[in-house]
Amino acid sequence: STQRDMGFWDMVFLWVGANSNNASWYLGGSIAGAAFGAAILLALVANPIAYAVLALVGFMGYRIGVSTMALTRPAFGIKGSLLPTTLNTIVFLGWAVVNTFIAVISMSYIFQDLFSWPAYGEPGGTRPMILGIVIMTLLNLGAVSIGRQSVKIVERIGIVLILILGVWVTVIVFQTHSFADVIAWRPTIETALPFGKAIDLMAAFSLSWVLGIAEFTRYTRTKAAATVAPMLGATVSLIWFVFVGLLATIGVALTTGEFNPDNSDPSSLVSSLGLGWMALLLIVVACVTTNVVNLMAAGVSVTNVTRKIKPIYSIWIVTILAGILMLIPLFAESFLDTFMNFLDFLGMALSALLGILIADYFVIKRRKYKVDEFTKLGGKYWYYKGVNLRAIAVWVFGVLFYLLIHNLSVVTAAEGRYIRQLL
């Protein structure tokens, strides 16, 4: 690409903004069941490792100048790349749904303040939530329609707003409770989260961004902007927001005497801390800025399947689809369970796929991809009828291995011992 107009700090701000969001906060609240010390240790260790993978794929995008999904063609085959493309679309659609649903919960509390309508989780609260879904979908459509250049501006606005909210929440908690109280807090045995489970959630969350990195690093001017900048921005912002979500969730537990992981989303926490409609509005705006990245990445991945649809049309399609999919967590019994299951799916599918992608470029092909072969039928990356069966087999084996390890009795027994030690 000749449109290399993104510098080092553009990429830092982009990825700070990408992780300064409702889902990052919710992740912090979700792993509060591991207790404060273990959760922070996990964030400090797991995220830099995951974002090293982000930097590697970012480098590939910088060198080759194509999207992440196009980069999967040499490894999986021109038609075989449909597999990671489908996964990519599901991943970013899922994040758009999670982020937007949290913002819709905020809207339900705003509606309650303005019109005395029932909020999320209350009897009769479904209709206001559906109205909020329609409004958020329209806001998302407006944001993604502005174009790629708007990402720089939109992300920086979102960063400022969500940082203000993060500082605000931190101050409120420490006005009531000491840091020693937060560190000393422990969940009940029913709500405790095993450390291994927390690692799975954190790794899946961080690795999911890797599928969208080349959409932006292909426009970078330098190697550092494509590798160091996104790794720095994503790591710092996620650690900060995990801290805020963790602190807010434990703060509410200390204040109320009850710890309910289902209420660890930012909207419920902000409402429980009594921050008011302005804080809820900040969550809504921050959601829109974050979803620019999610929805653009999901839409662009569709163009890897067919070039008959213009990128902007595919982005509009996935934005509307995200609005429809928000009905799933709305009618699910537990939003937290939906979120956890989504992260489990990511961990299962992503780890093997990213391993294949990186090994193919850096080891097997020795950093030599021929771009003119990326679309050539019967060419270098055609393999067997457009599919590299070996790569598909390795991916399937990786998924099965993950499932096997995940459910081993020795692992679940170790998790049980960890919970007993924690308490």
Side-chain angles (χ1 to χ4, degrees), residues 160-415:
V160 172
L161 294 178
I162 203 73
L163 284 177
I164 290 171
L165 184 58
V167 171
W168 191 357
V169 168
T170 304
V171 170
I172 291 293
V173 171
F174 283 137
Q175 281 179 343
T176 312
H177 308 286
S178 69
F179 192 49
D181 291 337
V182 172
I183 294 175
W185 175 84
R186 292 292 184 273
T188 63
I189 193 165
E190 292 82 14
T191 57
L193 182 69
F195 193 70
K197 180 73 171 178
I199 290 174
D200 285 346
L201 297 177
M202 187 71 71
F205 184 98
S206 298
L207 287 174
S208 65
W209 278 126
V210 179
L211 294 181
I213 182 67
E215 271 67 15
F216 303 97
T217 59
R218 59 175 167 161
Y219 297 113
T220 53
R221 292 190 290 263
T222 66
K223 187 192 301 182
T227 55
V228 178
M231 185 166 60
L232 176 65
T235 301
V236 170
S237 55
L238 184 59
I239 289 173
W240 161 244
F241 270 85
V242 164
F243 172 78
V244 172
L246 189 61
L247 186 67
T249 303
I250 294 176
V252 169
L254 288 169
T255 300
T256 63
E258 295 181 5
F259 170 57
N260 183 359
D262 278 322
N263 294 331
S264 59
D265 67 90
S267 300
S268 299
L269 290 173
V270 162
S271 179
S272 299
L273 291 170
L275 269 62
W277 68 269
M278 182 62 74
L280 295 166
L281 190 60
L282 288 180
I283 291 175
V284 172
V285 176
C287 160
V288 175
T289 63
T290 300
N291 277 344
V292 170
V293 177
N294 288 321
L295 295 168
M296 286 184 70
V300 169
S301 72
V302 175
T303 63
N304 185 52
V305 180
T306 175
R307 295 189 177 275
K308 294 180 180 179
I309 305 176
K310 291 183 178 179
I312 187 62
Y313 294 158
S314 66
I315 292 171
W316 287 345
I317 290 169
V318 298
T319 302
I320 294 169
L321 182 58
I324 296 171
L325 290 174
M326 268 185 278
L327 296 174
I328 296 175
L330 177 59
F331 292 104
E333 186 174 341
S334 167
F335 181 35
L336 181 64
D337 286 345
T338 304
F339 181 65
M340 295 286 196
N341 290 335
F342 175 60
L343 288 180
D344 268 347
F345 165 77
L346 292 187
M348 174 185 68
L350 280 180
S351 51
L353 189 150
L354 293 173
I356 293 168
L357 182 63
I358 291 170
D360 185 73
Y361 179 71
F362 288 98
V363 181
I364 298 172
K365 304 293 197 313
R366 297 185 180 181
R367 297 197 292 183
K368 293 178 181 178
Y369 277 177
K370 295 185 178 180
V371 180
D372 57 350
E373 296 279 342
F374 274 38
T375 56
K376 188 181 292 185
L377 304 184
K380 184 178 179 65
Y381 306 128
W382 187 246
Y383 301 107
Y384 177 75
K385 296 183 179 181
V387 180
N388 185 351
L389 296 177
R390 289 184 179 180
I392 300 295
V394 171
W395 184 80
V396 170
F397 175 80
V399 170
L400 293 175
F401 182 76
Y402 177 92
L403 289 172
L404 177 64
I405 293 295
H406 199 60
N407 296 313
L408 277 180
S409 58
V410 65
V411 175
T412 54
E415 290 176 344

Side-chain angles (χ1 to χ4, degrees), residues 6-20 54 151-152 155-156 159 163 213 216-217 220 222 224-238 293:
M6 299 194 79
F8 185 90
W9 290 108
D10 291 325
M11 289 298 291
V12 169
F13 282 119
L14 173 68
W15 290 98
V16 166
N19 263 344
S20 299
L54 183 82
V151 172
K152 297 179 186 179
E155 284 294 346
R156 293 183 187 189
I159 291 168
L163 284 177
I213 182 67
F216 303 97
T217 59
T220 53
T222 66
T227 55
V228 178
M231 185 166 60
L232 176 65
T235 301
V236 170
S237 55
L238 184 59
V293 177

Side-chain angles (χ1 to χ4, degrees), residues 103-176:
V104 172
I105 295 174
S106 285
M107 287 188 122
S108 78
Y109 288 118
I110 294 173
F111 291 153
Q112 187 176 56
D113 288 343
L114 294 177
F115 310 115
S116 299
W117 293 350
Y120 173 65
E122 296 179 358
T126 301
R127 287 185 180 180
M129 286 291 291
I130 291 175
L131 176 61
I133 288 171
V134 172
I135 294 172
M136 285 304 305
T137 301
L138 292 174
L139 290 173
N140 285 337
L141 280 169
V144 298
S145 298
I146 299 172
R148 182 176 61 84
Q149 289 297 330
S150 68
V151 172
K152 297 179 186 179
I153 301 171
V154 171
E155 284 294 346
R156 293 183 187 189
I157 293 172
I159 291 168
V160 172
L161 294 178
I162 203 73
L163 284 177
I164 290 171
L165 184 58
V167 171
W168 191 357
V169 168
T170 304
V171 170
I172 291 293
V173 171
F174 283 137
Q175 281 179 343
T176 312

